Amino acid sequence: MKKTAITCAIALALLAGACSGNGKKEAAASADSDAVATQTESGIAVSDEYKLVDGTFVSANGLPMIIDFSAEWCPPCRQLKPVFEELEKEYAGKINFITVNVDSMPSVAQNYKVESIPNLVFAKADGTEVYRSVGFREGAELKAYIEKYLSE
């Protein structure tokens, strides 16, 4: 059951689900999703951009990641959504943008110690967290964080 939920979560991530916009990856469980991601024998869910290993995202393509923990019912999350989408377009090929619906994947949110949303976790390709931003941020502020993040 857990393997199925992870596979469905990754599949929905590629289909852009509830708290994400068009073209945005969202890791969220859904039994109705077509399987876009694959799952290895060891139970690790995999996409072209990232994989989920023991509740932690690891880049599959060697790029750093920004993981957006959010929920549909959260007004600041909905406000951040178009900002995050624009940044994803601007930094395509440089950073993996991942959205996790905390209601659908509470164990992943718990693993990342998410207590408030929206919560953006900047992580290296190996999954090591390097920075965290909690609450709504304007695009210019997030862009400054990203530029600093990429220069390190």
Side-chain angles (χ1 to χ4, degrees):
M1 181 69 174
K2 189 174 183 178
K3 290 180 183 180
T4 302
I6 292 172
T7 299
C8 290
I10 301 302
L12 188 55
L14 299 174
L15 295 174
C19 205
S20 67
N22 294 333
K24 187 172 178 188
K25 289 72 178 171
E26 178 171 340
S30 171
D32 299 323
S33 298
D34 293 330
V36 175
T38 58
Q39 192 167 14
T40 65
E41 295 290 321
S42 62
I44 300 169
V46 181
S47 81
D48 291 341
E49 297 177 347
Y50 59 86
K51 56 188 173 181
L52 189 60
V53 181
D54 296 327
T56 301
F57 288 100
V58 177
S59 178
N61 60 7
L63 296 177
M65 303 168 287
I66 299 177
I67 308 158
D68 172 24
F69 290 92
S70 59
E72 291 178 36
W73 50 263
C74 167
C77 298
R78 290 193 306 265
Q79 187 180 7
L80 181 62
K81 178 179 157 181
V83 173
F84 200 67
E85 289 171 352
E86 282 301 313
L87 292 170
E88 179 180 20
K89 289 176 190 172
E90 186 171 341
Y91 291 96
K94 297 178 182 177
I95 301 175
N96 294 326
F97 287 79
I98 305 166
T99 296
V100 175
N101 184 320
V102 297
D103 292 329
S104 299
M105 296 188 73
S107 61
V108 175
Q110 185 177 21
N111 187 58
Y112 279 90
K113 297 176 177 53
V114 172
E115 295 180 4
S116 298
I117 55 174
N119 193 321
L120 299 178
V121 174
F122 294 68
K124 294 179 183 180
D126 67 2
T128 305
E129 182 177 335
V130 293
Y131 179 75
R132 183 177 294 236
S133 172
V134 180
F136 174 78
R137 300 283 187 265
E138 295 290 339
E141 187 177 4
L142 287 176
K143 191 172 179 176
Y145 291 146
I146 291 171
E147 290 298 326
K148 180 180 176 187
Y149 171 53
L150 288 176
S151 68
E152 293 179 354

